[in-house]
Amino acid sequence: MRSHHKISALLAALSLSFVTACSGPAEPDTHQQLSNKAVPDYWPRIQSEVKTDPSIEAQVKEILAGMTVEQKVAQLIQPEIRDISVEDMRRYGFGSYLNGGGAFPDNNKHASVQDWVDLAEKLYQASVDDSLDGSSIPTMWGTDAVHGHNNVIGATLFPHNIGLGAANNPELIEQIAGATAKEVAATGIDWIFAPTVAVTRDDRWGRTYEAYSEDPKIVRDYSYAIVKGLQGRDENFLSQQQVLSTVKHFVGDGGTEGGDDQGNNLATEKELYEIHAQGYVGGLTAGAQSVMASFNSWHGEKVHGSEYLLTKVLKERMGFDGFVVGDWNGHGQIPGCSNDNCPDAINAGLDVFMVPTGAWKPLLENTISQVKEGIIPMPRLDDAVSRVLRVKLRAGLFAKPSPANRPLAGNTDLIGHPEHREIARQAVRESLVLLKNSEQLLPLKPYQKVLVAGDGADNIGKQSGGWTITWQGTGNENADFPGGTSIYGGIREIVEAGGGKAELSAEGNFSQKPDVAIVVFGEEPYAEGNGDLANLEYQRGNKQDLALLRKLKAQNIPVVSVFLSGRPLWVNPELNASDAFVAAWLPGSEGQGVAEVLFTDKDGNIRYDFSGKLSFSWPATPEQTTVNVGDTDYQPLLPYGFGLRYGDNDVLGDNLNERVNSSSTELVPLALLENAIRAPWSMSIGTANKQTPVTSAVMTSGPVQMRTMDRFVQEDARTLHFDGSAPGQVRIGAPFPQDLRSYLERNGALSMDVLIQQKPVAAVTLSMDCGPDCGAGVDITEQLQSMPSDKWQTLSVDLACFRDAQNLAGVFNPLILTSEGQTGLSLSKIYIKPDIGQPLIRCND
Ligand code: BGC
Ligand code: BGC
């Protein structure tokens, strides 16, 4: 049987905005068990260096006593600058607000320092204006300055955390944080959502580069240093040169199954403490004033809703007296919650909702009602508000001048200040890790003909990675980095000053045969789940950079590779094709730091030796995604702590295994529904235009009703009824696109078990999408009609049927079931499987 239709009507249906949905049905037991659990002794009480101050506590009490419920709840609402007006601030008096990655005043990427300050000033003045809300509590602005003040044009961009980990220099890290605090203060902003203290255990995770190391030791020490650098030490504590910090994302973000962003962490509690919580030990000791709850779950329970972790562990045991802020609508992912309604998060111990999008208003209203109805107990509300007030008082927000009148505000010179750039340059030099240096090719003499090739050579955006001006770090050009220097720029400067010649050609062409080629290449920028990978092979199926290295080698030109990446990747072929190989991570705006290490001075003396050491084990195969120092069977290509210095002998040679054993790619079936809907997926139902996330066991949205059903075990199937009043649609998707190409290449199929409840009376289609106006599908009406209605059957559909969805390179919803008319069916065991043999519906012949 064969059917393959391109369904164009479907494409219209697919063009709707994506629903950020909740995870599947809750695992009720986990929550119950955890809330009755005692906290084990190994969780320590942290001695914060910021002590309780009785006079501040008295002020907190006094302010709180004069507040209405409405004013209190407003302190817990953190909207985003794209979704509020100055009038909203005047009317509601939000406790804080943020700008997300790639959000600028007036939506202007090129907003000036003064534009930032002006917005801060207006929102502050509106917050202290009590004419409408009766409250004059100053608001505060939080931003993701995660490698420098990265949303602001011209700011110093430091190497991403993975590179700083390789530098392993806590003093330098404190200086970086100090410089970042000043640049942020110059724009009138009070608070930074950093440091990220994730300990990445699976390098497929798209946020690997936001982590300093796979090992908790560096993370703990750095967390302390960064918090000190941001908030200031001793008499400088939260002075007007400093900003508040956030240790994030509590807890377990770096340890999710499969390296899935926002996934499920299955570590034991001891591991949770010993590996994933060490950054909180360092950061809370240093006196961090806020902690961000993580999107991930721990054994199936979303941290945003975990009373055990947020209240019992973090606040009661560890003694954290600042506030817990949520992550980007993270509360909406708790089963039973939505972005605009979530008493459970506050009751669990969340203090501030990060609620970008228009959901802030209904959330505010719903929360007020829930307090009035006693669903949120008053003592819990008061505790949350007291925490926010305590931090504001410690930060001197009530006493400080308004944002525009603070000493550093509007000081344009601080943005990209030469001293800050000098610190960044040092960090670049110290973050470089030398993996290979055959016959001591490095250091290079500047008085030579140097070819600089690769698409990363003259590309400041690419060398800076995600969270760079835009959220994903894409769409930038060198002109967006005034004062910054590309890696090529740094090389040219040194080579020309040293009497040599540097020629730039991304493709590796040249007018005169060079003495040496430096090839700068690597990953394109990404952030969060968009960077999640299936395995660690670099340029799988498309080894363009390898071709470039080989082309140069074939001409007998010695090749130095400078590899830009947010994680260690399997690059054996590229290593073999290089004489020297440098892991440069994501160095940021100060590209000169690279040349300063690669080249000697004009007299042939080394300027700076390599000092960076791997803070992540380097994989020997594409599947070695979770190789970590301390493993019992530890066989990486290069171990944690590795890094050559000048004069060291090469350890790799040119004959590393290059074969990707196709069966060793271990393409395991990808589960969408296996007992439960599996992370990162979630289900939503409704119509093509309006989808509702499934958050409970029985739900109706538009023409579709969904009920959970028990097949082998409890709730391992879903029954769907389409009432035919309008075309209905059911989706299983994730907030970030997934790359399913390897399944397509391996003759994979979408496979599911189906039990017909009511035969379809009109067309039923199955499709996948790859973003707005992008998708492909197949008609399955006939197959469903011919199934007996008393027996589970397997329906497998050749992935080739969906190939028009851009070869499945980035799939948001791998299952979109649309029925034009009435029908009923149950589904269980839904997978994307490789090597399916004979699928029921074939499109590949
Ligand atoms: C990220 C956080 C970030 C927040 C605000 C979230 O998506 O997970 O790290 O602080 O957005 O931009
Ligand atoms: C924001 C980011 C945020 C992300 C979360 C983006 O639109 O700008 O800051 O982390 O959404 O999904």
Side-chain angles (χ1 to χ4, degrees), residues 528-783:
E528 301 187 41
N530 283 330
D532 285 0
L533 289 178
N535 67 47
L536 297 181
E537 181 177 354
Y538 178 63
Q539 289 194 333
R540 168 147 222 246
N542 173 25
K543 297 214 182 293
Q544 291 171 356
D545 293 322
L546 179 61
L548 171 58
L549 302 176
R550 286 187 176 153
K551 170 175 112 176
L552 295 166
K553 282 277 270 192
Q555 299 171 81
N556 288 319
I557 301 165
V559 171
V560 178
S561 286
V562 174
F563 187 53
L564 301 172
S565 73
R567 52 194 145 206
L569 287 169
W570 184 75
V571 285
N572 280 7
E574 289 81 3
L575 281 163
N576 287 341
S578 309
D579 298 285
F581 195 104
V582 178
W585 315 110
L586 298 167
S589 62
E590 307 312 300
Q592 304 98 319
V594 175
E596 286 169 341
V597 180
L598 295 186
F599 287 90
T600 65
D601 67 13
K602 343 195 236 308
D603 305 319
N605 302 315
I606 291 172
R607 299 158 180 264
Y608 297 97
D609 197 349
F610 280 92
S611 61
K613 304 287 173 202
L614 293 178
S615 60
F616 282 81
S617 309
W618 200 279
T621 68
E623 294 71 45
Q624 244 187 16
T625 58
T626 56
V627 59
N628 291 306
V629 60
D631 290 354
T632 31
D633 183 23
Y634 184 61
Q635 296 184 20
L637 179 72
L638 295 167
Y640 178 91
F642 181 86
L644 298 174
R645 299 186 70 101
Y646 281 140
D648 287 347
N649 289 328
D650 174 47
V651 299
L652 293 176
D654 298 337
N655 289 309
L656 297 171
N657 180 23
E658 296 194 1
R659 262 201 340 262
V660 184
N661 180 348
S662 64
S663 72
S664 91
T665 29
E666 286 296 344
L667 253 199
V668 293
L670 188 64
L672 308 186
L673 171 60
E674 182 185 63
N675 298 334
I677 302 277
R678 301 291 298 270
W681 315 109
S682 55
M683 181 180 252
S684 61
I685 60 173
T687 62
N689 295 316
K690 187 171 191 307
Q691 288 276 299
T692 310
V694 170
T695 52
S696 58
V698 185
M699 275 189 65
T700 304
S701 170
V704 184
Q705 191 205 45
M706 191 277 336
R707 264 185 299 118
T708 57
M709 172 189 178
D710 302 345
R711 184 181 175 198
F712 299 115
V713 297
Q714 206 184 348
E715 300 199 330
D716 61 344
R718 301 285 177 276
T719 298
L720 302 160
H721 276 285
F722 295 76
D723 71 13
S725 61
Q729 196 170 88
V730 172
R731 301 186 198 170
I732 297 183
F736 304 108
Q738 311 288 322
D739 184 353
L740 302 180
R741 279 176 298 184
S742 33
Y743 291 90
L744 179 64
E745 283 156 23
R746 287 267 299 272
N747 299 316
L750 170 63
S751 163
M752 64 186 110
D753 286 4
V754 181
L755 177 66
I756 295 293
Q757 308 279 1
Q758 186 192 355
K759 294 205 173 175
V761 298
V764 180
T765 55
L766 202 55
S767 51
M768 297 195 182
D769 70 342
C770 37
D773 293 320
C774 178
V778 62
D779 191 314
I780 57 167
T781 325
E782 251 179 73
Q783 287 75 15

Side-chain angles (χ1 to χ4, degrees), residues 113-143:
V113 174
Q114 199 52 49
D115 294 334
W116 289 86
V117 174
D118 288 347
L119 181 60
E121 180 68 12
K122 279 191 226 155
L123 288 167
Y124 171 94
Q125 292 301 349
S127 74
V128 296
D129 173 345
D130 61 2
S131 57
L132 296 177
D133 60 349
S135 160
S136 53
I137 299 174
T139 190
M140 55 185 173
W141 181 346
T143 195

Side-chain angles (χ1 to χ4, degrees), residues 98-101 144 193 196 207 210 248-249 262 292 295 327-328 354 467 471 528:
L98 86 151
N99 69 302
D144 291 294
F193 303 131
T196 294
R207 303 187 84 151
E210 294 188 54
K248 72 184 188 185
H249 311 82
Q262 311 192 358
M292 189 182 290
F295 277 123
D327 201 346
W328 199 267
M354 183 186 285
W467 295 105
W471 176 39
E528 301 187 41

